[in-house]
Amino acid sequence: MIKKNIVFIIVTAFLCFYKGTAQGGAQKKMQSRKTAVFSNVIYNGDDRIYNENPLKSDEFYTPVLQGCYPDPAITRKGDDYYMVCSSFAMFPGVPIFHSKDLVNWTDLGGILNNVSEFNPHDTGISAGVYAPGITYNPHNDTFYMIVTAFSGGLGNIIVKTKDPMKGWGSPIKLDFGGIDPSIFFDDNGKSYVVHNDAPDKGKELYEGHRVIKIWEYDLNTDKVIPGTDKIIVDGGVDLSKKPIWIEAPHLYKKDGKYYLMCAEGGTGDNHSEVIFSSDNPKGPFKPSSNNPILTQRYFPKDRTNKADWAGHADLIQGPDNKYYGIFLGIRPNNQNRVNTGRETFILPVDWSGDFPVFENGLIPLQPKLKMPAGATNKTGKDGFFPNGNFTFTENFTSKKLDYRWIGLRGPRENFISQTKKGLEITPFEVNIKEVKPTSTLFYRQQHNTFSFTATVDYKPQSERDLAGIVCLQNERFNYVFGITKKGDDTFILLQRTEKGQSKIIAGSKIKITNSLRLQVKATGDSYEFSYAANGIDFENLGGVVSGDILSTNIAGGFTGALIGLYATSANDAHP
C-alpha cells in the first residue's frame, strides 16, 4: 500500500512537472511568435453608379447593406426595427442591425457571439449559419431568432431576448430537419414554424424539388409539437413546371387571411419571390396569379448598372404605414462576376390588393429610392452604417472595435489586442488555406471599385512567418500579399491560390527600416497590389491581376470577398 502511494506521488509529481513544462513551452512558443501591428487602415469605395446617381434630399440608396449581408429578415416592435442576415462561418454569427426608419441602420454586432455555444471552427466558409428569421412576439414581449447552423451538430436552433440591444439567450436545439426556418405568432396566441425541407421519402420528382413545411410551436417548452408537421407547398407555384428550390418561407396575417411568401428558382439568375394565401395557417395555400412578385430574371444580361438575383425576401410595415420588402440581390462587376457577394436591398411594397407586389420589383432595379415620410438620411454619420460611396478610416484607437471587423471560424478577440501603436495580431500557427480559425481580421468588400490601405509594423523572423493583406473568397481561392523571410533576406510577395493550388505571382527583396504601407485596389475585375516603403510612394507588385478567384462565379459558395489583416506562423508562400 505504501509502495503504491509512493508510486502514485512520483507519477503525479512527474505529470504535474510535465504538464507545467508543456504549458510553459506552449506559452513561450506563443510569445516567440512575431506579432504584426496594423494601423491607419483606409477603405475607400468609389463605384461609378453612385457617382452618376447622386442623392436628392428625400432619397436613399439601395442596397442598404453593401457587401456580404445576404438572406435578410426583419421584425418590428413599436418604432424599433431589427434586421438580421446570414454570416456562414464568419464570427460572430448572424449580424443584427437596428433602425427607426428603415433608412438609417446601426450595427449591433452578431447574435451568436459565444464560441462555446456556436463554434464554426472546422467548417468551410459557406457553412456555419445561414438564412435566419427574426420575429417579435407581442404576446410575451419577446424576440425570437431562428436559424440553421451547419456546425457543431446544432441543426436548427432558436434564441430569445426581451431586448436585442442587451444580448440574446443560449441556442435551443429544435427537433426538425430542413433549412431556412422562420417563426410566426398568430393573433390568437398560437405559434408556428415554417421551413424548407426535402419531399417525403420516395416522392422527390426532380433535382431541386423541395417543399415548405409547417409545425405548431410550443412557447412554454420552446419545441415544435411532434406530429403537427404538414407540407403546405409542394415544389412551388406550379409543380408541373418543375420549379426548383422553394425556400426562405415567411408567414404573415393581414385582414384575417394568411400569406406565405417564399423564394423560388435558386439563389442565382433565376431567383424570384412568390406568394400564396390561405384562410388557415396550415393551408391549403393558393398561389397568386401575379407570381413572381419580385425578380430580375427577365432582363438582358448585358444591361448597364445591373442588379440581379433578387429574392429571399421579408416584409414589414414601415413608419409611414406603408409596406416595405427587404431581399438579397447582387451587383456584378464589369466581367459580370460577383465579388461583393449577395447584399441587402429594399423596395416599397404595394399591398392595396389581395396580394403584395414589390414596387418596381419587376423592372431593372434602380439604385435610389424615396425615403419613408419623415425620415432623414444620416447613413455614414452619427454611428449609422454607410452606403453608396464612402471612406472608412480605422486607427484602432477606439475602446470598442467596430463590428464591421470580423473573425473567421472564431472570435477576433482570440488573436488581437489594441495597443498604443495600433492593432496587434498574434499569429496562429494556421495558414489561410486551412479550415480552422485564422489570425485574420476581416472586412467585407463592399464596392466593385475600391482601395484598401493599411500600415503594418512587422519584421518576420523566419520563412514560416508572414503578415500583410489577404483578399479571400474562401480557403481555396484567395490572394496573399505579405512580408516574409528567405534566409537572411526579407521579401514582399503576392501569392494566388486557385482550387487550393498556390503560385507566387511576384516577389521582391526589401529592406524594412520603418513601417510598411500595403494597398490593394480594384477597378471591377482588375486588382492591383502595391507597397510603399516610405509610406507615400507606392510600388506595384505583380502588375494587374484578375479578381476572378474572388468571385462566387469561379470559387462557388455563398459569401462575398473579404479583405483581411493577416498574420501567420504557418506560412507556405516562399519567394
Side-chain angles (χ1 to χ4, degrees):
M1 186 67 179
I2 295 174
K3 287 182 179 179
K4 285 183 180 180
N5 287 340
I6 292 172
V7 171
F8 175 76
I9 292 169
I10 292 172
V11 170
T12 302
F14 173 78
L15 289 175
C16 289
F17 172 78
Y18 176 80
K19 184 178 179 182
T21 303
Q23 286 178 339
Q27 288 171 353
K28 286 179 182 178
K29 191 175 182 182
M30 177 68 79
Q31 290 167 358
S32 70
R33 294 178 189 171
K34 181 62 178 174
T35 61
V37 178
F38 292 90
S39 59
N40 192 21
V41 177
I42 301 173
Y43 174 92
N44 182 64
D46 192 27
D47 282 346
R48 179 175 54 83
I49 190 170
Y50 297 120
N51 293 326
E52 294 177 352
N53 293 274
L55 291 175
K56 296 178 181 177
S57 60
D58 62 344
E59 295 176 328
F60 71 115
Y61 285 125
T62 179
V64 290
L65 301 181
Q66 293 164 222
C68 182
Y69 292 102
D71 308 330
I74 193 168
T75 195
R76 174 184 184 180
K77 176 188 176 183
D79 297 331
D80 294 298
Y81 295 86
Y82 295 94
M83 181 166 63
V84 292
C85 304
S86 292
S87 55
F88 305 96
M90 297 170 228
F91 197 94
V94 189
I96 180 168
F97 295 82
H98 170 260
S99 179
K100 291 281 190 180
D101 52 21
L102 302 179
V103 174
N104 305 294
W105 292 92
T106 303
D107 191 343
L108 301 183
I111 291 176
L112 300 175
N113 55 17
N114 186 339
V115 75
S116 68
E117 296 177 338
F118 166 65
N119 191 354
H121 63 95
D122 58 355
T123 58
I125 195 172
S126 284
V129 285
Y130 56 78
I134 186 170
T135 314
Y136 171 67
N137 183 4
H139 301 290
N140 61 2
D141 188 29
T142 301
F143 291 85
Y144 293 75
M145 192 283 291
I146 186 169
V147 71
T148 308
F150 287 88
S151 59
L154 287 173
N156 289 299
I157 57 174
I158 198 163
V159 294
K160 303 185 295 183
T161 186
K162 294 287 186 180
D163 185 355
M165 298 282 193
K166 296 180 179 178
W168 294 72
S170 297
I172 301 166
K173 188 172 169 58
L174 301 174
D175 191 18
F176 62 87
I179 60 172
D180 294 13
S182 67
I183 190 164
F184 166 72
F185 304 106
D186 207 341
D187 48 24
N188 62 6
K190 294 196 72 172
S191 308
Y192 302 89
V193 168
V194 288
H195 64 95
N196 159 299
D197 209 342
D200 290 340
K201 192 172 182 180
K203 293 187 177 181
E204 183 176 352
L205 301 178
Y206 51 87
E207 189 173 354
H209 178 199
R210 303 289 287 182
V211 303
I212 301 298
K213 275 187 180 177
I214 190 168
W215 298 76
E216 294 180 26
Y217 187 83
D218 188 334
L219 286 175
N220 295 317
T221 62
D222 281 311
K223 294 179 180 178
V224 292
I225 301 173
T228 62
D229 56 311
K230 182 184 179 184
I231 293 174
I232 51 176
V233 173
D234 186 3
V237 169
D238 186 348
L239 187 60
S240 69
K241 294 182 179 179
K242 297 183 178 180
I244 62 169
W245 288 103
I246 192 78
E247 58 189 356
H250 290 281
L251 199 57
Y252 312 95
K253 190 175 188 180
K254 182 176 182 286
D255 300 332
K257 293 194 75 171
Y258 297 87
Y259 295 86
L260 179 71
M261 191 172 74
C262 307
E264 188 184 274
T267 187
D269 291 341
N270 205 44
H271 208 198
S272 70
E273 198 70 14
V274 297
I275 195 155
F276 309 77
S277 69
S278 176
D279 293 324
N280 189 296
K282 302 189 84 170
F285 278 91
K286 179 183 177 182
S288 167
S289 60
N290 293 328
N291 280 323
I293 59 173
L294 168 71
T295 191
Q296 295 290 288
R297 66 189 178 206
Y298 300 126
F299 312 120
K301 299 296 182 187
D302 59 351
R303 63 190 183 274
T304 58
N305 295 335
K306 181 165 83 168
D308 212 352
W309 298 10
H312 200 118
D314 199 2
L315 300 177
I316 201 72
Q317 199 165 10
D320 52 2
N321 291 320
K322 184 178 179 63
Y323 281 89
Y324 289 82
I326 57 168
F327 56 97
L328 72 80
I330 55 107
R331 297 173 300 133
N333 66 20
N334 59 326
Q335 294 296 319
N336 203 34
R337 295 190 180 118
V338 184
N339 290 43
T340 51
R342 298 171 303 154
E343 307 172 294
T344 290
F345 289 70
I346 189 169
L347 278 177
V349 170
D350 182 351
W351 206 339
S352 58
D354 288 339
F355 289 96
V357 176
F358 285 75
E359 293 183 16
N360 296 327
L362 297 174
I363 65 171
L365 291 171
Q366 300 300 305
K368 301 191 300 181
L369 292 175
K370 295 287 185 184
M371 286 189 290
T376 301
N377 194 338
K378 297 179 181 178
T379 55
K381 304 171 186 175
D382 302 328
F384 291 110
F385 203 76
N387 64 3
N389 284 333
F390 59 84
T391 298
F392 170 63
T393 301
E394 176 67 88
N395 290 312
F396 301 111
T397 55
S398 173
K399 290 183 179 179
K400 187 177 180 182
L401 186 61
D402 195 292
Y403 287 129
R404 282 173 281 182
W405 293 110
I406 54 173
L408 179 59
R409 304 188 192 93
R412 59 191 191 178
E413 290 77 14
N414 284 359
F415 57 87
I416 66 170
S417 58
Q418 290 176 258
T419 70
K420 291 181 180 179
K421 292 183 178 181
L423 184 100
E424 185 175 78
I425 294 182
T426 301
F428 292 161
E429 201 168 342
V430 175
N431 191 280
I432 199 70
K433 292 177 283 189
E434 296 182 70
V435 184
K436 295 178 181 178
T438 72
S439 42
T440 317
L441 191 65
F442 281 108
Y443 183 94
R444 293 167 173 86
Q445 180 181 328
Q446 297 179 291
H447 298 79
N448 286 312
T449 298
F450 76 92
S451 65
F452 180 95
T453 312
T455 296
V456 60
D457 186 352
Y458 180 69
K459 291 182 180 178
Q461 294 177 334
S462 76
E463 62 181 24
R464 296 284 289 171
D465 298 328
L466 181 142
I469 291 174
V470 59
C471 290
L472 178 135
Q473 177 58 234
N474 62 45
E475 50 274 3
R476 301 180 69 244
F477 293 83
N478 53 73
Y479 282 106
V480 170
F481 179 48
I483 309 155
T484 188
K485 286 199 83 169
K486 183 178 181 181
D488 294 329
D489 297 320
T490 302
F491 282 81
I492 186 165
L493 54 78
L494 177 62
Q495 180 192 58
R496 173 185 167 102
T497 297
E498 181 175 4
K499 297 180 181 177
Q501 300 299 309
S502 301
K503 68 175 181 178
I504 302 299
I505 300 295
S508 178
K509 188 174 7 177
I510 59 172
K511 188 173 183 179
I512 298 178
T513 55
N514 294 301
S515 300
L516 201 65
R517 198 90 171 120
L518 303 179
Q519 183 181 78
V520 54
K521 295 175 68 175
T523 304
D525 185 64
S526 300
Y527 284 64
E528 296 181 68
F529 295 84
S530 304
Y531 66 97
N534 62 1
I536 301 171
D537 301 309
F538 281 92
E539 184 175 341
N540 175 264
L541 187 72
V544 178
V545 297
S546 175
D548 55 354
I549 59 170
L550 303 178
S551 71
T552 54
N553 311 67
I554 301 300
F558 301 119
T559 59
L562 303 175
I563 311 159
L565 305 176
Y566 173 51
T568 180
S569 61
N571 174 48
D572 70 348
H574 305 302

